[in-house]
């Protein structure tokens, strides 16, 4: 997915030209994976660009930094303002936004306590992550041979750059095997999540989604979808899922800021009903919610 450059990137309090947003090759986080980041979407609305759950994303960035004991020099409100500034500077009606906080140049070695934190926020146009027709045609999943990292090895609640080694290994393995996306089980053999999405399975009239304890990120889209499902009188529970639950699902979908709501066509070549009626209803409503078209959730859309 090639990046389309935009005008400016916000770095440590200033808007700099896209090409000037550079760091030193000896920057600490490049070597040890100690960075925290977010992926946020901004949608075109009649009132101008609207960033979906921007404050919630910046709050999660702060929580990730807390877990890593990384001091963040900017408050949530300051990061929200900075994001709006960079989106306005891009002139784009809608875009993908990537804030990242990292230990920069100056210290080396695994003790991060003396390190200072740098923060950057970029935005650029980015289409549907799992394909334009992921909601209607669905994606083919493969259970990965890689296992989701354990809570006592790497904390899944922190959206840390280094932990994405696990996701990338699984993603590339799945693509090489001819699938669209990988699904990771945890050390106990229960479903954790996909490489960049949370999982929802419909069985016997209710939706089940694996929680943080199973090794999943606490997804903002997962939370949004749970709220939408409850409005539709669909029972949603956080719970454990085995791979058989996936093979026998009435329908299944995966969710994330980048992938939005993507239907699942098959898991390990076991075909599922795709897209199922719940997937379609929730996916369509999600498309309206993120664009500020549903009154109850208008406050989730933060205009720039
Ligand atoms: C590993 C992983 N799980 C789940 C998600 C979905 O999270 P969100 O809905 O907050 O984008 C993401 C995306 O950031 C992710 O990278």
């Amino acid at each position: 997915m090639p990046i389309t450059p935009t005008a400016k990137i916000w770095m440590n309090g200033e808007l700099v030209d896209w090409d000037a947003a550079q760091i030193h090759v000896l920057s600490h986080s490049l070597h040890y994976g100690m960075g925290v980041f977010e992926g946020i979407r901004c949608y075109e609305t009649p009132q101008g660009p609207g960033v979906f759950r921007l404050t919630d994303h910046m709050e999660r960035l702060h929580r990730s930094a807390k877990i890593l004991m990384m001091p963040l020099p900017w408050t949530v409100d300051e990061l929200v303002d900075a994001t709006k500034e960079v989106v306005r500077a891009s002139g784009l009606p809608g875009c993908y936004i990537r804030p990242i906080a990292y230990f920069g140049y100056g210290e080396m070695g695994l003790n991060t306590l003396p390190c200072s934190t740098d923060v950057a926020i970029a935005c650029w146009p980015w289409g549907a992550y799992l394909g334009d027709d992921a909601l209607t045609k669905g994606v083919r999943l493969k259970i990965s041979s890689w296992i989701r990292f354990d809570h006592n090895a790497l904390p899944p609640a922190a959206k840390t750059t280094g932990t994405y080694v696990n996701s990338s290994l699984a993603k590339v393995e799945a693509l090489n095997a001819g699938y669209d996306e990988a699904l990771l089980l945890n050390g106990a053999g229960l479903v954790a999540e996909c490489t960049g999405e949370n999982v929802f399975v419909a069985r016997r009239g209710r939706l089940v989604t694996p929680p943080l304890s199973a090794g999943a990120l606490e997804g903002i889209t997962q939370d949004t979808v749970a709220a939408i499902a409850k409005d539709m009188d669909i029972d949603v529970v956080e719970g454990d899922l085995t791979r058989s639950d996936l093979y026998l699902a009435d329908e299944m979908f995966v969710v994330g800021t980048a992938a939005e709501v993507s239907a699942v066509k098959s898991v390990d070549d076991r075909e599922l009903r795709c897209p199922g009626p719940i997937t379609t209803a929730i996916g369509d409503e999600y498309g309206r919610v993120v664009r500020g078209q549903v009154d109850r959730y208008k406050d989730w859309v933060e205009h720039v």
Side-chain angles (χ1 to χ4, degrees):
M1 292 187 159
I3 297 177
T4 307
T6 56
K8 301 281 182 187
I9 292 180
W10 185 95
M11 280 187 99
N12 296 326
E14 281 174 46
L15 283 182
V16 302
D17 288 343
W18 180 276
D19 287 334
Q22 296 186 2
I23 62 167
H24 199 280
V25 72
L26 293 180
S27 296
H28 191 282
S29 289
L30 180 63
H31 297 252
Y32 304 118
M34 291 281 283
V36 295
F37 71 106
E38 281 297 318
I40 311 174
R41 273 198 192 271
C42 169
Y43 290 88
E44 182 170 6
T45 81
Q47 294 78 41
V51 185
F52 189 63
R53 300 192 67 169
L54 172 57
T55 302
D56 291 331
H57 278 281
M58 290 310 185
E59 283 175 353
R60 186 170 65 187
L61 187 79
H62 266 261
R63 289 198 298 276
S64 297
K66 179 178 182 182
I67 292 174
L68 264 56
M69 298 184 76
M70 167 187 268
L72 273 192
W74 308 94
T75 64
V76 168
D77 287 346
E78 286 167 340
L79 293 171
V80 164
D81 287 345
T83 303
K84 292 180 177 178
E85 206 182 331
V86 82
V87 172
R88 278 197 301 270
S90 78
L92 292 169
C95 57
Y96 181 80
I97 302 161
R98 169 57 54 84
I100 183 164
Y102 54 98
F103 293 125
Y105 175 80
E107 295 282 338
M108 210 31 107
L110 293 174
N111 176 14
T112 57
L113 297 177
C115 295
S116 58
T117 313
D118 289 332
V119 183
I121 307 171
C123 74
W124 66 91
W126 207 5
Y129 182 64
L130 293 176
D132 284 335
D133 47 10
L135 177 57
T136 48
K137 297 231 170 80
V139 293
R140 297 178 63 239
L141 298 187
K142 174 91 187 97
I143 294 183
S144 186
S145 73
W146 297 97
I147 285 184
R148 196 64 171 164
F149 40 82
D150 180 78
H151 286 269
N152 294 319
L154 294 164
K159 198 169 160 61
T160 310
T161 56
T163 63
Y164 280 81
V165 172
N166 182 243
S167 281
S168 283
L169 289 169
K171 181 82 185 181
V172 171
E173 178 190 62
L175 293 178
N176 276 337
Y179 296 86
D180 302 308
E181 176 60 309
L183 186 143
L184 290 132
L185 305 179
N186 61 26
L190 301 168
V191 174
E193 58 180 346
C194 288
T195 66
E197 301 86 26
N198 292 103
V199 169
F200 281 87
V201 162
R203 269 199 91 189
R204 304 195 179 105
R206 66 175 197 175
L207 285 174
V208 184
T209 186
L212 170 65
S213 57
L217 182 74
E218 289 184 306
I220 290 170
T221 317
Q222 182 186 37
D223 181 67
T224 303
V225 161
I228 291 173
K230 280 179 192 149
D231 292 344
M232 294 175 170
D233 286 329
I234 300 168
D235 266 355
V236 187
V237 290
E238 287 197 346
D240 287 332
L241 291 167
T242 64
R243 63 197 294 168
S244 309
D245 290 320
L246 310 181
Y247 299 161
L248 301 179
D250 297 329
E251 57 183 289
M252 178 175 167
F253 53 92
V254 298
V255 307
T257 297
E260 301 178 309
V261 176
S262 298
V264 175
K265 192 167 144 49
S266 64
V267 182
D268 290 345
D269 303 312
R270 276 78 167 178
E271 299 286 323
L272 301 178
R273 182 177 185 190
C274 178
I278 297 178
T279 306
T280 303
I282 288 181
D284 289 347
E285 181 71 353
Y286 182 78
R288 290 186 283 272
V289 167
V290 294
R291 289 172 181 80
Q293 294 163 6
V294 178
D295 276 346
R296 182 194 288 245
Y297 299 119
K298 273 204 161 127
D299 291 349
W300 274 343
V301 178
E302 302 179 41
H303 292 283
V304 307

